[in-house]
Structure formats: C-alpha cells, structure tokens
Amino acid sequence: MITPALLPLLLVAFALPSILAQVVSPYWRKPDITASPAERINLAGAALAKAVNQLNPAPQFFRELLSLSLSTRYNLTSLLSANATSGAVAGCKGSFYGQMAEFDLITKQTMWEKSLKTYFQVAQSAHVNFSTTKTYGRAAALAYAAYKDQTFLDYAMQSWWFGRAYTLSQDDVSAGRISTKNLSSLQEVCQNQTMVGGTFWLMDPVKPKLIPLSTGLSALLAEATSDQLYLQAAIESRKFIQAHLHNDLNIVLEAIYAPQNYSCDVINEIFPYNTGITIEGLSILAALINDTETQNLLEQILAAAIPYS
Ligand SMILES: *[C@@H]1O[C@H](CO)[C@@H](O)[C@H](O)[C@H]1NC(C)=O
Ligand SMILES: *[C@@H]1O[C@H](CO)[C@@H](O)[C@H](O)[C@H]1NC(C)=O
Ligand SMILES: *[C@@H]1O[C@H](CO)[C@@H](O)[C@H](O)[C@H]1NC(C)=O
Ligand SMILES: *[C@@H]1O[C@H](CO)[C@@H](O)[C@H](O)[C@H]1NC(C)=O
Ligand SMILES: *[C@@H]1O[C@H](CO)[C@@H](O)[C@H](O)[C@H]1NC(C)=O
Ligand SMILES: *[C@@H]1O[C@H](CO)[C@@H](O)[C@H](O)[C@H]1NC(C)=O
Ligand SMILES: *[C@@H]1O[C@H](CO)[C@@H](O)[C@H](O)[C@H]1NC(C)=O
C-alpha cells in the first residue's frame, strides 16, 4: 500500500522524471543522496530517540530542541523559555509528534505508538480539541494512518473541527465576517477569486492573516473516512492556495490579509515549510481525486521548489 506520507517522495521519484531532470539548486551542499534507505532510517530513528529523551515526564513542558528548523522564524532563545502552552511551542510539539508517527508509518513499526497516545492525552486535556495549534491534527491523522487506532482518528477530527471554526466558509465570506474573529468586513474576493477555504493563522480575534497550512489535514481525514465534508474542505483549501498564495515562480507564500481595509495585501515572505506542507497536502489530495487542477498545481509547485530551495 502507498501510504500518504510516502506519496510526496514517490511522486518526486517516479511520477515526475521531467522535473527531477532539472538542475537542483546550487545551494544544495550534497545533492546526491548516497546513504542507503536502511542507513537513512537508522539516522532518523536515532534523531527521534534523542529528541524524545529531551521530553520531561510531563510532555507539555517539552523544550523543543528539535525545533531548530523553526529558528529562522522564531527566536529560539525566547521560544525555549516561552510559556509552554503558547501556540508556537505547541506547534513545535505537534510537528515533532507528526515526525514520530511518520517514521513508524514509513518503517511499518509501532515504536512510538504508546508514547504518542500519552502525549496526545496530555495535550488534549490541556486544551479541548487541541485548540492551541493545528499541527496536532496532522500528527494525529498520521498516527491513525500508522496504527489504525480510532483514538488518533478522533483526535485528528477534533483538531479539524477546531481549525474549521477559523476557516472561511461561503456563508462567512458572504456575510463579511466569521464568528470566531472580531474583524471589520472581510474580503469576499481577492484577485477576483473567492476567499473561501482560507484558514486564519491565529486564534486571537483581531489577528487578520490567512495562511496556506490546512489542505493536508482535510485530505488525510478524507482518505481515512471517505467523508465528503473533509474532501470538500481539502478542495476549498487547494483552491484558496491556488488563487491567493503562490507567486509567479509557484513558490507558496506566507499569508494574505482577510479584512477589506488591507486591500488583499499578500505577505510575500518565503519560508520553505509553506511550500513543503502544501506539497504534502496536494499530493494526498491528488491521490484521492486525481483531478487535473490539483495535479497541475502540485507539479508546478514541485518543479519550482526543487531548484529554488
Ligand atoms: C532572542 O530572545 C532573547 C530573549 O528573549 C533576547 O535576549 C535576544 O536578544 C533575542 N535575539 C534576537 C536575535 O532577537
Ligand atoms: C501561559 O499561557 C496560558 C494560555 O495563554 C495562560 O493561561 C497562563 O496564565 C500562562 N502562564 C504563564 C506562567 O504565563
Ligand atoms: C470539538 O470536536 C468535536 C468533534 O470531535 C466537534 O463536534 C466540536 O464542535 C468541537 N468543538 C470545538 C469548540 O471545536
Ligand atoms: C470587538 O472589537 C470591538 C472594537 O474594537 C470591541 O469594542 C469589542 O469588545 C470586541 N469584541 C470582542 C468579542 O472581542
Ligand atoms: C471576475 O469573475 C467574474 C465571475 O467569476 C467574471 O465574470 C468577471 O469577468 C471577472 N472579472 C475580472 C476583472 O476578471
Ligand atoms: C485595518 O483596520 C484595523 C482595525 O480598525 C486596524 O487595526 C488596521 O491597522 C487596519 N489596517 C490597515 C492596513 O489599514
Ligand atoms: C490519474 O488520471 C490520469 C488520467 O486522467 C491517469 O492516467 C492516471 O493513471 C490516474 N492516476 C491515478 C493514481 O489514478
């Protein structure tokens, strides 16, 4: 069986030889990967084990030594000393749990299943429906794919419902407001295309930015449940990214402002994770519905990401 987590790799490796044939970025230090799959699995497993060792007995106080990848964006010093329940810290934890689940999914093991159950229980008891960050949802959906344990699916769905409340529906954009936010009139369209499908980054009722992060969770849930609700959400999210959040080079951008008084202003900053997480979401969705629009967008973004990164 081709697992969702493997799909991006498989697509790069097999489905798109014309893209692979392109020259990789000169910034890549060692573009040829010579380590065998077994060696790479050992390396990844050792890295995860090392990080897990940094967990305190109560994982909600996990200090995210693994989150160095985020340090270009967040000040790591202040992140490590931050209130452990803050969104940024929870986001790192969710990403890390996702890596644990993904490792088991790819290697067909259950090494982290028990630990993850505990971590998710703690996170959920601290915040109903994992309401600090959507990264828990993706991690839980991957854990469900790996272990087929309904508890993880329930967690993923709870996280989705939380994120749903911060995602623009047709009713929201028609009304120009969303109930979870206290913002002046929202844009109905930008670039002459609907804002439906955009997800707010932050829960703070006055924070105005919509970001490109939600296709993957909806697509993973669509795959796990065959529920049209999730599939529809994944498609809306794809359309939103397609309409508003990539540049002429097909690199995925950081955010677009939702309220009218920002005149559809886009935040053009480029962080590789936006493109990466979009590739993941689109590849899961493309495998589910195989429509040309999703497929084309995926190919364009992949083709852009390889030389650009
Ligand atoms: C990072 O945060 C620490 C503590 O809040 C502060 O002392 C330091 O100046 C910050 N560094 C940068 C580069 O902003
Ligand atoms: C940490 O953040 C939570 C949620 O925002 C808040 O309720 C709590 O008071 C904060 N704790 C400290 C020590 O700042
Ligand atoms: C929490 O998730 C459940 C689904 O498991 C959903 O029915 C409920 O509306 C959600 N509540 C919030 C506040 O997100
Ligand atoms: C919404 O914003 C208005 C004006 O800024 C403020 O008076 C009101 O208290 C806010 N309401 C909520 C629920 O945050
Ligand atoms: C905007 O979209 C509408 C309907 O989708 C279309 O009829 C109209 O021509 C478009 N306007 C521009 C300026 O592209
Ligand atoms: C839009 O309005 C909000 C609330 O009145 C304000 O805080 C914000 O600065 C405004 N933004 C722009 C770009 O005018
Ligand atoms: C997707 O559709 C194309 C043609 O529409 C077909 O060639 C291809 O095999 C399909 N792929 C999958 C995974 O169904």
Side-chain angles (χ1 to χ4, degrees), residues 163-182:
R164 181 69 166 171
Y166 291 86
T167 300
L168 294 173
S169 68
Q170 183 58 56
D171 285 350
D172 298 330
V173 300
S174 301
R177 64 179 309 278
I178 182 168
S179 64
T180 46
K181 289 280 180 174
N182 191 8

Side-chain angles (χ1 to χ4, degrees), residues 20-28 31-32 306-309:
L20 257 201
Q22 293 180 9
V23 179
V24 297
S25 162
Y27 299 112
W28 287 17
D32 297 321
I306 292 172
Y308 190 87
S309 301

Side-chain angles (χ1 to χ4, degrees), residues 10-74:
L10 291 177
L11 282 169
V12 174
F14 302 120
L16 303 167
S18 61
I19 289 171
L20 257 201
Q22 293 180 9
V23 179
V24 297
S25 162
Y27 299 112
W28 287 17
R29 202 165 54 88
K30 292 182 178 174
D32 297 321
I33 297 171
T34 53
S36 69
E39 284 172 313
R40 279 180 270 158
I41 286 169
N42 279 342
L43 194 62
L48 288 177
K50 180 130 193 156
V52 167
N53 277 339
Q54 309 294 330
L55 293 168
N56 283 336
Q60 72 268 38
F61 299 118
F62 178 32
R63 299 192 153 226
E64 285 72 15
L65 296 181
L66 241 212
S67 66
L68 280 162
S69 60
L70 284 175
S71 62
T72 51
R73 169 139 191 215
Y74 294 105

